[in-house]
Amino acid sequence: TVASYWAGVGGTGDAPRCVCGSSLIRVSCEQRADQFIRQVYPQVRRDSDRFPEFRQQIMRRRRSIAICDLCDQHIPFLVGASGIWTCESGMATILHAESYDVCDRCFAEH
């Protein structure tokens, strides 16, 4: 949505906050896939030849890259067509043991 895009590029001032207090950042599905790979497969370095292979596998095999923590719906993996609001802290907080993701629809509604 326009509101999600504008907030993602800094059009509203302060970044929206996650439940843990860190900032929510809007990333592309490709960027969220990269974060997922780094979290689940830390042994695969981003500059390795295997990293793009992992991303391609995720894009082919998964119908979504994340589940929205507000509506519990899958966030579709649509290259270049959608974004995901995710906590900049990733899994580095006790307040959400996994990453915290919000779809554009929920972001606009809440």
Side-chain angles (χ1 to χ4, degrees):
T1 67
V2 174
S4 293
Y5 171 78
W6 190 246
V9 297
T12 61
D14 293 336
R17 295 284 171 203
C18 177
V19 295
C20 74
S22 293
S23 294
L24 287 175
I25 54 173
R26 189 170 190 265
V27 297
S28 69
C29 288
E30 295 90 345
Q31 290 169 312
R32 185 63 185 91
D34 290 354
Q35 289 175 349
F36 176 80
I37 294 167
R38 288 192 304 271
Q39 290 170 346
V40 176
Y41 306 104
Q43 72 278 10
V44 179
R45 293 182 24 187
R46 180 147 173 75
D47 60 353
S48 76
D49 293 337
R50 295 181 61 207
F51 198 90
E53 294 172 23
F54 274 78
R55 186 198 285 167
Q56 288 299 322
Q57 287 177 3
I58 289 170
M59 290 168 50
R60 279 194 305 266
R61 294 183 182 169
R62 298 177 67 96
R63 68 179 180 134
S64 71
I65 193 60
I67 295 175
C68 177
D69 285 293
L70 297 181
C71 67
D72 290 325
Q73 297 296 310
H74 286 271
I75 301 172
F77 190 83
L78 303 171
V79 176
S82 63
I84 298 172
W85 290 90
T86 190
C87 178
E88 68 181 354
S89 293
M91 299 186 308
T93 176
I94 196 167
L95 296 175
H96 49 81
E98 296 184 8
S99 59
Y100 190 82
D101 300 297
V102 178
C103 68
D104 276 341
R105 185 176 56 93
C106 284
F107 180 84
E109 286 179 17
H110 301 282

